[in-house]
Amino acid sequence: MLKHHDAGAEMVPQEGVHEVDNVGARLGRTDAWRKVTGQEQYMEDVPLVSQLWGKILRSPHPHARIRGIDVSRAESLPGVKAVITFRDIVPFKIGYSTHGDQFALCHDRARYVGDEVAAVAAVDEETAEKALSLIDVDYEVLPFVLDPIEAMKPDAIVLHKDKGTNIAAENHTEFGDVEKGFAEADHVFEDEFETQRQCHVCMEVHGCVANWGNDDSLSVWTSTQSPHIVKRFLAKAVDLPLSKVRVNRVGVGGAFGSRTDLFPHDVIAAYLSKKARRPVKLLFSRQEEFYASATRHPALVRIKTGIKDGMITTRHVTAILNGGAYTSQTGAVMGSLGWKASNYYRIENYRYDGYGVLTNTSVATAYRGYGGPQLGFALESQIDMIAERLELDPVEFRLNNANRQGDTSVSGSYFSSCELTQCIEAADRALEGEKPAGRDQGRGMAIGFGESGWRGAYYNNSDVSAATIKMNMDGSIHTTVGGAEIGTGYDTTMAQIAADALGVPIDQVSVHSGDTNDAAYDLGLYASRGAITSGMAVKLAADKTKGKLLDAAAKMLDTPRSELSIENRCIVSSANPNIAITMAEIAEHIYEEEGSAVFGTGIYDPQTHLADETGFHASPGGSITYPFCAVNLDVSVNRDTGEFKIGKIAVAVDCGKPINPAIVEGQIEGDVFHGLGMATVEPGLDYDDAGAPKYHHLVDYKLLTAADMPQIECIVAESTDPTGPFGVKGVTQLITSSVGAALANALNDAIGVRMTSLPITPEKILQALERAQS
Amino acid sequence: MSTRVLPEFLLLRPDTFDEALSLVDRYRDKAEVLAGGTDLLVNMKCGTATPSIVIGIGKVDAFNRIEFDPENGLAIGALASIRALHDSPDVARYYPVLRDVAHLFANVQLLNMGTVGGNICNASPAGDFIPPLLSQNAHVVLGSASGTRTLKLIDFFVGPGKTVRRPDELLQTITLPPLSTDYHSGFVRITRTAEDLAKISVATVFSLRDGNFHDVRISFGAVAPTVLRMPDIEAFLEGKPMDDQTIGEATAMAAERISPITDLRSTSDYRRKIAGAALRQSILAAVERSPAQ
Amino acid sequence: MSERPEDRNEKIAVRFQVNGEPTELLVSANETLLSALRNQLGLTGTKYGCGTGDCCACTVSVNGRAILSCLSLAAELEGENVTTVEGLSDGSKLNPVQASFAELGAVQCGFCTPGMIMTINALLAENPDPSEQEVRHYLRGNLCRCTGYVKIVDAALAAAGTMEA
């Protein structure tokens, strides 16, 4: 029934057939109208009667023992309705899945500047702010450690006594024989790279709106990528059955990995509401957003590469990630970095030594690329460094070593589709004719690799998504999905898939996501999984719904079911051209005559493998399919000031079939933006000698503006992947991983200096030029 | 402190200049003057300004004007918005370097709200308008209940955020002498992004007589506790030919004459390294622009 | 005019136009326009992004000019004419900038969108036929973390075309 199109660009409308009109089409988004008129409700916009404002008192010290907290002065301030400390909450440890080590409110110890110590709910924001200043905390200031290398030393200050070490996670895995590989290599190169603590800087700050009902049920509006994950762990944190906890749909003002888990502020808002018996709206200030929401992991990455006969045979990657004060996703990001390194090129031997280290700094978590940007900067910079040392053309060198369709990587990932070589060639070609000729101009490329879904992200044996389609009597459909519209066009993508899978016009499809009471358990949106896992669940739900319609039609029309199919919103018979009834007619028949209902639920869990104790996966790997990309850019440098200007960035992506080209381009362009920010102006959340973060405002921590962004050319190197719905693959994060190295390679091409740390600032360029001269 | 809320204060809104003067005289250190609000309200949200009284002078019409005449030059009322300066044909024609700054200033919204007077009274070493005003030999007129006094703008600043304005005084007007139309002027600001405070800024004004520099005025922003004029470099350039060698020698003098700090935008070392390049860029920008017709 | 410090909690009456409607509010001295719009008038399309004038998510129009509602005192707006994103369309037909945002994929998470749209409307009122560079320069204060600005700039240019026609 379903007609798969090979190329989105050449959609040939077939007479009378509408099933595939939507997939591949550049449709407007289903949420656009709400968002352009200001009607979308984000957390702060949720209207609740008699709501209070919540605020969190945070530790001013990077490390301190809390000897006592006196809240009496705050409690007696008029307008204050609740003040809570750790004594008011269940001692549940928040973290990534069950690997928690963070109480929502500190017990006896604060571990970073920003750690949650107490919280208040008051009639308005001003009163809540004032109340915070009336909470007296008796701190005993302790020595602290900010640098992961220091924190790894045996005599380091230990943040979590029960762990006995600051190394929260380690990975030491080998495939093939690395020692032999290096011994047999013609050349071995070893280089080291460093990346900063990039902040997500969502335009909407973090927070949570909680309403603890008098019937002891909890309803929250928290902007999250994973409503079901929040519900699951929030229920534990507030000690309620899952049936009493609801995460509601709410607009999500940017996520980028920063909203994948349950966070302390969710739990705090819930307890404030419980204590005050009124709804509580708790939202960060922009300052808190910088120092008390999570960040990307700063990383040191060392890569040792063995080359034989011009081919990369052997790699040894060592990575040290600064995880901040609590473990969160540090183990998984560290593992992902090592895993990604094993998949970039065809290699025979691979060793990974990864360390996730805790320090007295902000918690690091998932951030677009998930270890990829740290790795990609190192690995793809080194590719150019090796090519230069061996006098090879870097593009040719990449092509010769690139993965291809049907390959299985050294660690077991099976590439059911792979157009990496097409990407490299297309990105190379895109800048042809613009070859920078002048002095101090250069060009640089880097490739990228990513996942599409991830089995076992929450240490469970699952990568599940769920969807339900319900057809109404008029033939229109409700599609309920378990993820959330976080800005990525999820709802629209699901609508397009549902419309085509059922042959229903898109304007008769509504999509509901983000509400745990609507949808079955779904892990949510991370690891570029939405389009593929939710998309498959929607397709399965549509298939079931269709089955129901065809069964009923067969009975109603007294026609063998095998002869029936859906075309052009009608059920038709292949045997008898006179038989055709509309979907609305059959739906109404089912409701009104059969006393039944038209719906189907699709649960999709891809046939992938859970990582074993090494953190790696047996074939086909942790994802069902893998996207690839190549980024190519031109740069010109001002040697007097070190300033540089990027002329144009060409991005070629193998993301399978684009369901909606405009949405895919939007993801590519956003991916470039995060990558280029990390590569250039975003300083990362540095700390001063006292352990306090240096950045609190957007005037200091800069983002690139519309006037700074170069032209971006998006090229979709379409592949046909047999695994996803309509051949789709993930596209939301792999390009971020490539931009830093492409820039560093272009700068080296322009002025002959090699930048090995991000961000690349004009000052670093001047310093490098000076070193090169002396 | 949180940028979500403003602390409480008493808001006083005088209707006339005299009323405003009597209020500043009465409350002095307890009060802050609110013009565009784009600096004061940020400082109050961040806790770096804690006035119990705010005197909002938005209704005082006498302050809100930009006037030009060829005899006396330009008078910018303390409340004139940067937008008004940006849109003024007189400014574009006779003081194009001020138009340059207005065009680059922060963002459009702050340009619409902010005032030139506020930018000056805020006395940030990185204040965008200060270098070009210094290079235009601007004066400020300060008013108080006991009368007015006029100062050279360069004598107005004492340090970062500090001026000689007494707590009982209000900035009334900024005046710029007429500039002969054969003068060149250029402004350069080096920043991290298109919307940023300066790592370093330079405003250069001069005329060329038979290809030689004359009456050179160079001002550097963000390189010292206050915006600096560069008398040594100005004297060096006087009468010398406008060529690569002269410019090269002049720019080489810059790094020695500044005392930059390290902040979140730049290190002091980098500021020193690029001071010469910034000066060169501003001279070249000035040369490139034809003098006003 | 009250001058006693103990009167600082006294509310100030402000009469102004909001989206064409004559509006009278009692505001505190420290109440920003952003807060008055959101909390008193329920116009929640205008967003808090940073509170310091560095993201422009709170942009509204006052007398046709784009300004930041987070750095404006409501009490200072007596007699002014304020337009928010809610005032751009009657609910059945979008304003040209809104329409091209929806059509061209300029919206992702949507949080910066109202501020962007208000800013672009101000731009097109000043300059009906801007170049791409002029659009980018005008938008330099409006931060977006999702789009890389590509489709936002496209939408602004497309809307300029529509408005001309």
Side-chain angles (χ1 to χ4, degrees):
Chain A
M1 282 300 300
L2 289 166
K3 296 189 172 62
H4 291 254
H5 275 260
D6 294 330
E10 293 100 42
M11 295 259 304
V12 184
Q14 296 171 45
E15 189 65 27
V17 176
H18 286 261
E19 287 104 305
V20 289
D21 279 352
N22 299 298
V23 167
R26 189 178 280 274
L27 300 181
R29 292 169 56 125
T30 58
D31 53 350
W33 191 283
R34 282 200 313 273
K35 288 176 175 175
V36 301
T37 55
Q39 286 188 342
E40 177 71 317
Q41 276 186 356
Y42 301 86
M43 290 181 290
E44 191 169 351
D45 311 328
V46 172
L48 292 175
V49 175
S50 73
Q51 68 180 14
L52 303 173
W53 278 90
K55 291 270 173 194
I56 297 171
L57 181 71
R58 299 179 176 282
S59 170
H61 306 294
H63 201 185
R65 180 168 297 119
I66 298 170
R67 288 188 291 222
I69 307 176
D70 181 355
V71 300
S72 53
R73 287 199 302 145
E75 279 177 334
S76 58
L77 182 72
V80 171
K81 301 297 177 187
V83 183
I84 60 170
T85 68
F86 73 91
R87 288 191 199 87
D88 297 282
I89 72 173
V90 170
F92 172 76
K93 285 184 172 174
I94 297 172
Y96 185 49
S97 184
T98 48
H99 293 227
D101 55 8
Q102 180 177 20
F103 293 116
L105 288 165
C106 295
H107 276 206
D108 56 354
R109 195 183 278 237
R111 294 183 175 86
Y112 75 100
V113 173
D115 216 344
E116 295 85 356
V117 174
V120 300
V123 291
D124 54 34
E125 274 191 282
E126 290 92 328
T127 309
E129 278 282 330
K130 232 180 274 171
L132 291 186
S133 66
L134 299 175
I135 298 174
D136 300 301
V137 186
D138 180 11
Y139 291 107
E140 177 192 343
V141 176
L142 300 173
F144 59 90
V145 59
L146 305 173
D147 176 33
I149 306 287
E150 291 299 315
M152 287 170 79
K153 290 180 178 166
D155 58 345
I157 308 297
V158 176
L159 271 76
H160 296 264
K161 280 271 186 300
D162 55 335
K163 293 185 202 286
T165 169
N166 293 321
I167 301 173
E170 290 185 57
N171 187 315
H172 307 283
T173 309
E174 185 163 335
F175 299 94
D177 188 335
V178 166
E179 198 178 331
K180 188 157 161 271
F182 285 131
E184 290 175 354
D186 303 331
H187 310 275
V188 175
F189 301 100
E190 191 165 4
D191 299 286
E192 196 170 292
F193 304 86
E194 193 174 356
T195 59
Q196 81 275 36
R197 182 188 286 274
Q198 189 181 19
C199 297
H200 298 80
V201 198
C202 301
M203 294 319 298
E204 182 198 24
V205 293
H206 283 65
C208 178
V209 182
N211 188 14
W212 191 291
N214 288 331
D215 57 349
D216 275 337
S217 67
L218 172 63
S219 204
V220 299
W221 292 257
T222 180
S223 98
T224 178
Q225 299 170 239
S226 301
H228 288 275
I229 295 292
V230 169
K231 171 177 163 170
R232 180 176 168 207
F233 295 109
L234 182 58
K236 287 177 193 271
V238 299
D239 198 19
L240 282 178
L242 281 163
S243 59
K244 295 281 193 181
V245 177
R246 177 179 185 179
V247 176
N248 296 275
R249 196 205 84 80
V250 71
V252 178
F256 320 115
S258 72
R259 307 191 202 253
T260 47
D261 289 313
L262 175 74
F263 290 101
H265 53 261
D266 297 315
V267 180
I268 290 168
Y271 276 107
L272 283 172
S273 177
K274 181 183 184 186
K275 190 161 186 180
R277 291 281 158 186
R278 281 167 69 171
V280 171
K281 190 171 273 183
L282 188 161
L283 290 161
F284 288 14
S285 66
R286 179 56 64 185
Q287 296 105 306
E288 283 177 288
E289 190 69 13
F290 273 114
Y291 75 91
S293 73
T295 68
R296 195 188 288 291
H297 290 80
L300 276 173
V301 180
R302 192 161 60 237
I303 303 193
K304 188 174 173 186
T305 301
I307 308 287
K308 190 168 174 57
D309 301 328
M311 301 297 285
I312 307 165
T313 60
T314 306
R315 273 237 156 85
H316 179 192
V317 172
T318 308
I320 298 172
L321 276 68
N322 186 342
Y326 299 97
T327 303
S328 181
Q329 303 200 14
T330 290
V333 173
M334 181 273 289
S336 178
L337 190 158
W339 170 78
K340 286 187 169 103
S342 71
N343 291 302
Y344 258 69
Y345 290 98
R346 289 173 158 174
I347 54 173
E348 294 159 22
N349 313 293
Y350 176 66
R351 179 172 174 81
Y352 181 50
D353 290 296
Y355 303 87
V357 184
L358 301 184
T359 63
N360 294 108
T361 59
S362 284
V363 181
T365 189
Y367 186 168
R368 202 166 191 158
Y370 213 75
Q374 298 93 323
L375 171 76
F377 174 60
L379 195 144
E380 281 295 288
S381 291
Q382 201 204 27
I383 288 287
D384 263 46
M385 293 159 81
I386 292 171
E388 188 177 14
R389 289 159 184 157
L390 299 180
E391 296 181 353
L392 301 170
D393 176 76
V395 175
E396 289 292 316
F397 186 45
R398 287 188 172 86
L399 281 171
N400 292 340
N401 286 280
N403 287 308
R404 288 172 164 77
Q405 181 166 14
D407 282 0
T408 298
S409 78
V410 66
S411 65
S413 305
Y414 172 68
F415 304 135
S416 50
S417 64
C418 174
E419 294 298 337
L420 177 57
T421 56
Q422 202 197 131
C423 288
I424 295 171
E425 285 162 354
D428 191 37
R429 231 176 9 247
L431 298 188
E432 255 175 29
E434 304 187 18
K435 183 67 182 173
R439 190 171 168 265
D440 303 332
Q441 295 189 309
R443 174 169 298 173
M445 180 183 278
I447 67 159
F449 164 84
E451 61 272 56
S452 300
W454 190 248
R455 185 168 211 81
Y458 285 86
Y459 295 97
N460 46 16
N461 185 8
S462 161
D463 193 10
V464 74
S465 277
T468 298
I469 288 181
K470 187 176 81 181
M471 181 173 279
N472 300 302
M473 260 181 255
D474 61 356
S476 67
I477 59 171
H478 289 290
T479 308
T480 305
V481 275
E485 175 54 81
I486 56 173
T488 54
Y490 177 73
D491 285 1
T492 310
T493 303
M494 295 306 116
Q496 289 179 256
I497 291 172
D500 284 9
L502 259 180
V504 172
I506 191 99
D507 59 7
Q508 294 190 19
V509 179
S510 67
V511 173
H512 303 266
S513 65
D515 186 331
T516 55
N517 273 21
D518 280 355
Y521 187 69
D522 183 313
L523 291 166
L525 293 194
Y526 54 83
S528 304
R529 67 191 294 277
I532 197 157
T533 57
S534 289
M536 277 304 276
V538 167
K539 190 171 166 299
L540 292 172
D543 289 345
K544 285 193 185 165
T545 310
K546 192 157 57 181
K548 202 140 198 178
L549 292 167
L550 293 176
D551 284 347
K555 221 164 39 170
M556 182 183 168
L557 300 167
D558 198 18
T559 303
R561 188 187 186 282
S562 57
E563 288 176 8
L564 297 177
S565 61
I566 296 178
E567 277 180 30
N568 197 17
R569 276 177 278 166
C570 289
I571 294 179
V572 296
S573 161
S574 56
N576 182 352
N578 293 324
I579 290 182
I581 57 169
T582 66
M583 307 264 269
E585 283 168 341
I586 189 66
E588 189 170 336
H589 174 80
I590 293 170
Y591 281 102
E592 295 290 311
E593 304 299 326
E594 292 190 2
S596 185
V598 191
F599 67 93
T601 291
I603 307 289
Y604 178 69
D605 190 28
Q607 297 301 304
T608 47
H609 289 280
L610 189 63
D612 58 23
E613 64 280 3
T614 66
F616 288 82
H617 307 247
S619 186
S623 291
I624 189 71
T625 177
Y626 305 91
F628 298 86
C629 75
V631 172
N632 200 16
L633 61 84
D634 283 340
V635 74
S636 58
V637 185
N638 177 338
R639 279 179 185 262
D640 294 334
T641 62
E643 293 175 295
F644 54 90
K645 190 171 167 52
I646 294 168
K648 181 177 173 183
I649 299 186
V651 184
V653 191
D654 162 18
C655 59
K657 163 91 182 170
I659 302 284
N660 183 326
I663 288 176
V664 167
E665 287 162 13
Q667 288 304 309
I668 293 171
E669 289 150 2
D671 229 1
V672 168
F673 179 71
H674 282 254
L676 195 58
M678 179 178 177
T680 59
V681 300
E682 293 184 41
L685 190 69
D686 261 359
Y687 290 80
D688 64 20
D689 292 343
K694 290 181 185 170
Y695 296 91
H696 296 90
H697 298 291
L698 282 163
V699 70
D700 298 323
Y701 188 107
K702 296 306 285 185
L703 300 187
L704 292 165
T705 75
D708 299 303
M709 282 299 287
Q711 190 196 342
I712 301 169
E713 180 177 343
C714 300
I715 304 154
V716 174
E718 214 173 281
S719 61
T720 306
D721 193 275
T723 52
F726 302 94
V728 70
K729 303 205 259 185
V731 68
T732 50
Q733 53 184 341
L734 74 165
I735 300 148
T736 298
S737 308
S738 311
V739 179
L743 175 61
N745 293 340
L747 287 167
N748 184 61
D749 186 40
I751 52 172
V753 297
R754 173 55 60 180
M755 310 308 298
T756 58
S757 73
L758 295 184
I760 298 171
T761 61
E763 173 154 24
K764 283 187 190 169
I765 289 175
L766 280 193
Q767 287 165 348
L769 284 169
E770 280 166 14
R771 274 197 304 275
Q773 271 167 9
S774 63
Chain B
M1 299 308 295
S2 155
T3 58
R4 299 187 63 89
V5 291
L6 264 175
E8 285 178 357
F9 53 86
L10 176 66
L11 179 65
L12 303 177
R13 290 176 300 153
D15 293 308
T16 64
F17 184 46
D18 286 343
E19 244 178 66
L21 287 180
S22 88
L23 288 173
V24 290
D25 187 41
R26 185 169 328 150
Y27 293 110
R28 304 210 171 195
D29 289 337
K30 275 189 276 178
E32 290 276 1
V33 177
L34 177 77
T38 56
D39 285 314
L40 178 62
L41 298 186
V42 172
N43 292 340
M44 288 169 69
K45 286 179 177 184
C46 296
T48 49
T50 54
S52 54
I53 294 168
V54 170
I55 301 171
I57 55 173
K59 289 198 284 187
V60 182
D61 280 342
F63 290 165
N64 194 350
R65 64 191 178 98
I66 293 178
E67 283 166 9
F68 175 77
D69 76 75
E71 292 282 299
N72 301 309
L74 190 71
I76 305 169
L79 259 186
S81 70
I82 294 164
R83 162 62 67 178
L85 193 81
H86 178 274
D87 292 349
S88 158
D90 289 329
V91 170
R93 181 156 184 212
Y94 298 107
Y95 304 92
V97 70
L98 291 184
R99 173 64 168 65
D100 291 350
V101 177
H103 182 69
L104 292 174
F105 185 79
N107 55 52
V108 166
Q109 291 82 347
L110 293 176
L111 174 131
N112 288 334
M113 301 166 75
T115 62
V116 186
N119 198 253
I120 288 172
C121 288
N122 201 38
S124 162
D128 277 338
F129 276 99
I130 301 173
L133 289 172
L134 284 189
S135 289
Q136 302 275 6
N137 293 331
H139 286 69
V140 289
V141 182
L142 298 170
S144 71
S146 54
T148 61
R149 59 176 178 143
T150 301
L151 302 173
K152 285 183 178 169
L153 180 62
I154 192 145
D155 297 328
F156 185 60
F157 304 108
V158 213
K162 291 202 165 60
T163 70
V164 298
R165 182 174 73 89
R166 298 192 311 263
D168 65 327
E169 280 181 319
L170 281 175
L171 175 66
Q172 205 170 327
T173 315
I174 304 143
T175 61
L176 281 71
L179 193 66
S180 163
T181 51
D182 65 353
Y183 273 70
H184 296 260
S185 60
F187 177 71
V188 163
R189 189 183 68 172
I190 292 177
T191 56
R192 294 168 299 175
T193 70
E195 199 271 46
D196 195 10
L197 300 168
K199 291 181 188 179
I200 193 167
S201 60
V202 185
T204 303
V205 173
F206 54 83
S207 72
L208 290 174
R209 292 192 176 166
D210 306 326
N212 295 330
F213 283 109
H214 171 66
D215 191 16
V216 183
R217 309 136 181 203
I218 296 167
S219 305
F220 268 73
V223 295
T226 64
V227 176
L228 297 180
R229 278 284 290 263
M230 290 286 163
D232 293 358
I233 305 178
E234 293 168 2
F236 170 81
L237 285 169
E238 181 65 40
K240 292 218 172 50
M242 201 285 292
D243 58 22
D244 281 352
Q245 194 193 328
T246 309
I247 296 173
E249 286 171 20
T251 55
M253 297 168 72
E256 300 270 292
R257 284 161 178 79
I258 58 178
S259 52
I261 57 160
T262 293
D263 58 22
L264 294 174
R265 302 193 294 281
S266 174
T267 64
S268 70
D269 192 42
Y270 181 70
R271 287 185 158 115
R272 243 181 241 288
K273 279 179 191 165
I274 62 170
L279 174 57
R280 173 194 303 275
Q281 284 180 27
S282 86
I283 293 173
L284 295 180
V287 169
E288 210 163 281
R289 185 188 347 250
S290 312
Q293 298 305 308
Chain C
M1 189 172 61
S2 168
E3 291 178 21
R4 289 169 301 153
E6 60 270 28
D7 292 340
R8 72 178 58 164
N9 290 324
E10 211 168 77
K11 299 281 183 179
I12 301 161
V14 195
R15 284 160 300 271
F16 58 150
Q17 297 267 324
V18 179
N19 296 331
E21 296 284 324
T23 304
E24 183 166 351
L25 290 181
L26 286 177
V27 301
S28 309
N30 64 342
E31 188 159 359
T32 60
L33 174 60
L34 175 66
S35 164
L37 290 171
R38 293 182 53 87
N39 302 327
Q40 293 213 47
L41 296 172
L43 295 170
T44 55
T46 306
K47 304 300 181 196
Y48 165 88
C50 69
T52 52
D54 299 307
C55 79
C56 298
C58 69
T59 301
V60 299
S61 154
V62 172
N63 303 332
R65 293 275 190 219
I67 62 103
L68 300 175
S69 59
C70 80
L71 293 180
S72 302
L73 295 184
E76 295 265 88
L77 286 163
E78 178 73 30
E80 311 283 22
N81 194 345
V82 178
T83 309
T84 70
V85 70
E86 290 91 344
L88 292 181
S89 73
D90 60 7
S92 60
K93 188 172 181 296
L94 297 178
N95 151 290
V97 181
Q98 292 174 310
S100 52
F101 262 62
E103 191 188 326
L104 296 176
V107 176
Q108 287 194 30
C109 87
F111 202 81
C112 75
T113 304
M116 284 282 182
I117 287 175
M118 295 310 297
T119 309
I120 294 168
N121 270 295
L123 162 66
L124 298 182
E126 274 173 44
N127 179 359
D129 187 23
S131 67
E132 176 177 339
Q133 205 189 343
E134 285 169 335
V135 170
R136 288 180 175 274
H137 180 67
Y138 204 92
L139 291 179
R140 66 194 180 277
N142 288 74
L143 297 179
C144 168
R145 195 50 155 164
C146 296
T147 63
Y149 309 102
V150 179
K151 292 187 172 8
I152 290 172
V153 173
D154 288 349
L157 292 168
T162 322
M163 281 177 157
E164 268 183 327

